[in-house]
Amino acid sequence: MKTLIIIHEECHGAIGYVHNYKRAIDFLYCNDWFDEEEMIANFGVDWLNQISKWNIDTFNEEFNGCFQLEVTEIY
């Protein structure tokens, strides 16, 4: 069994499938899902490094209503 994280966006539903939290952040960043100005306003200039250190629960709390990371198991 392996862990899979499904990345959900409020208006688009499932937008990505990744193996771990780091890859979820990379996916969102590399595919321009984060608004740079909004991220700086909310989390400071070093926002990407800051959110990369979070866990899934913290991410889901902070981005509630925008993004949701769902952890599931696959065979």
Side-chain angles (χ1 to χ4, degrees), residues 11-52:
C11 296
H12 294 88
I15 58 172
Y17 303 86
V18 296
H19 294 287
N20 58 43
Y21 177 74
K22 182 188 179 322
R23 293 204 184 245
I25 299 305
D26 291 345
F27 174 89
L28 292 167
Y29 180 76
C30 291
N31 289 285
D32 296 322
W33 284 99
F34 290 126
D35 180 296
E36 184 97 18
E37 289 180 23
E38 186 176 329
M39 297 301 286
I40 290 171
N42 289 325
F43 306 111
V45 177
D46 194 28
W47 65 269
L48 185 57
N49 185 46
Q50 181 180 340
I51 68 170
S52 295

